[in-house]
Amino acid sequence: MRGYQAVLWLLTGTVLGSQAGSRLLDSIEAAESFSFVLPFSNKSNLDQNYCERKRKMNSFNGWTLSSESLLATLLVDPIRENTIREVQDCIFSVAYPTPFKSRVLLAAVSKDVLENILDLDASVRETDDFLQLVSGGKVVLGSVPLAHRYGGHQKVFYSPLLLCERPVQGAGLVVSDDDVWRDQFYNGNVKKERGAIVLRVAKSWFRIGSLEILAHSGELDLLRTLLDFVIQEHFPSVNMNDSNRYLDFFSRVVLETANLIALWMSVGFAHGVCNTDNFSLLSITIDYGPFGFMESYDPKFVPNTSDDERRYKIGNQANVGHFNLNKLSQALKPLLDPRQKQIASQILEGYSEHYHTRFTELFTAKLGLLGESEDDNYLIAFLLRLMEDTKADFTMVFQQLSEITQDHLKEHHIPQEFWALQNLAKHKLFSDWVALYLLRLERNMGDSDSKRRKRMTAINPRYVLRNWMAESAVQKAEMNDFSEVRLLQEVLQHPFQRQAAAEKAGYSLSPPAWAKDLKVSCSS
């Protein structure tokens, strides 16, 4: 799949809005030669009057960023030259962005991020100041742009420095007329494309690799400093005075990582590059470049053409999660005593059970089942096997099960509009599965068919970002037509709701035949 080279940046600090203050923007990462990380203090008292405020700021006058809390705690490289180099004894390096040389166009921006995180009025996106800010042309007052030092395991091998990324989803997007040379599939086919910037926001950009690089280099004091900072800022339930705080932290990361990957699986999302440098310590989805939503159900689905070994196939994501958590435990071990190391191993052993429990909870909910039954796992596995055999569409099978009535299922009548279920119904065992499903639904105490369908439509998306949809938007964007970029942005904010514009665009129909040949890589 073709697309703009994604590079991004933003300035680091705590957002200070108008007089009553603002919500805190926790982190932003930038990537071309460097990654700009923005962890913030969440101890400001500015939020307390947020709900009382009635007016957003419509300009950057008085809107500043403060880096004091961050810079006072975490070490910054004293060398200020903006060059790619190996650094030690620090967490960040100062790295100012290089602005585009040509004109810059705003393709899309998240209104929700502007208003509810940055505390700005949506009209600010029409200003030149905003365009300069998100394209690297200006530095906000009080900010310090930083490049984050981290490493990680790429597949099974450890890499000490990872400074280049190409993220593809974010809070805003600008394009320019600057030429960027790209070898999209690493096959020697280098060509020019327009440069672009994707700007993303997240609670934190610290990842497992943030700790790994310090453990591998033996910088244990700095490792402890960073770990304490992360815990204090993002894990308020962990007692900082407890000698077992690192175990408590690890336990929460294990549990939440299991939950995250189960959530991925529930919507058919494949991360694509599950390296430890791409795994968040907060168990949020970051740093996915060649990601993809599975169309035809296939446990071997790989969105990344660079993954020749299929290590990160969707059916292996849970195992990779365990691998990454094991690397996290190894990074923590220098800070643990022998007893704590043993407990950490026991915590890690509980990952599989956490994952299996959450996976089952999510898929029983997707099927509209209430309560628990020992046969639920069989019912889920049976359905997935039918879907695999028939190459049924993962998203739409569950979505159409959410809309079809039990009477239609009992009568073995699948209306024409339920095209994904019609495909699934071609399997000789489909009627057997339906019989088991209807029998299980009868055990939903106090339930009705209308209640079941309402529950299911609220958790089974009708729209996901399929490759063909993104490709269609990219083709138009290359001609400076950003209408479909903005349409997708609007549609995917409400993926569970039927939307007239999305239906007209065919987003709930069977993918077009030409889409089968689309491919993505780390450079897409």
Side-chain angles (χ1 to χ4, degrees), residues 169-188:
Q169 182 187 28
L173 170 63
V174 296
V175 297
S176 76
D177 291 330
D178 285 21
D179 289 329
V180 177
W181 288 97
R182 297 177 62 234
D183 184 355
Q184 183 177 355
F185 297 111
Y186 310 108
N187 58 7

Side-chain angles (χ1 to χ4, degrees), residues 261-451:
I261 298 179
L263 285 167
W264 287 352
M265 299 299 289
S266 73
V267 292
F269 174 83
H271 184 288
V273 188
C274 296
N275 301 328
T276 59
D277 58 283
N278 294 336
F279 253 57
S280 165
L281 291 174
L282 274 60
S283 304
I284 55 178
T285 309
I286 63 172
D287 289 1
Y288 45 92
F291 73 91
F293 284 89
M294 178 173 56
E295 295 185 355
S296 297
Y297 178 74
D298 180 7
K300 299 183 180 66
F301 169 66
V302 174
N304 181 8
T305 59
S306 306
D307 188 5
D308 297 329
E309 300 172 356
R310 293 183 175 268
R311 173 175 172 78
Y312 297 142
K313 61 187 178 184
I314 193 168
N316 198 43
Q317 289 188 138
N319 293 330
V320 171
H322 184 276
F323 175 91
N324 291 348
L325 289 169
N326 181 49
K327 298 306 177 185
L328 174 58
S329 71
Q330 291 180 19
L332 296 177
K333 280 183 178 179
L335 307 182
L336 306 179
D337 61 34
R339 181 190 63 84
Q340 291 173 329
K341 291 176 183 178
Q342 183 177 5
I343 295 175
S345 297
Q346 294 170 352
I347 291 172
L348 183 58
E349 288 177 2
Y351 165 82
S352 296
E353 182 178 353
H354 290 318
Y355 172 77
H356 182 266
T357 298
R358 188 61 176 136
F359 180 94
T360 302
E361 290 175 350
L362 290 167
F363 275 81
T364 54
K366 285 174 71 67
L367 289 174
L369 309 181
L370 298 177
E372 297 181 1
S373 171
E374 60 183 12
D375 298 328
D376 287 348
N377 282 321
Y378 176 76
L379 187 67
I380 295 167
F382 192 173
L383 174 61
L384 294 179
R385 182 55 188 266
L386 299 186
M387 293 172 66
E388 184 178 2
D389 289 348
T390 58
K391 302 186 185 306
D393 189 279
F394 179 83
T395 298
M396 294 308 295
V397 161
F398 282 101
Q399 198 281 327
Q400 291 173 9
L401 281 174
S402 306
E403 294 191 346
I404 197 169
T405 65
Q406 290 187 50
D407 287 340
H408 279 138
L409 290 175
K410 290 175 182 177
E411 297 166 1
H412 302 286
H413 172 63
I414 309 295
Q416 188 68 31
E417 64 266 26
F418 298 112
W419 57 268
L421 288 182
Q422 284 191 335
N423 185 26
L424 186 67
K426 295 176 183 178
H427 201 289
K428 62 182 180 180
L429 297 179
F430 177 70
S431 59
D432 293 340
W433 182 83
V434 169
L436 291 175
Y437 180 48
L438 292 174
L439 185 63
R440 175 61 177 86
L441 289 177
E442 290 179 1
R443 300 205 296 271
N444 282 353
M445 300 298 295
D447 201 20
S448 67
D449 196 38
S450 61
K451 290 179 180 178

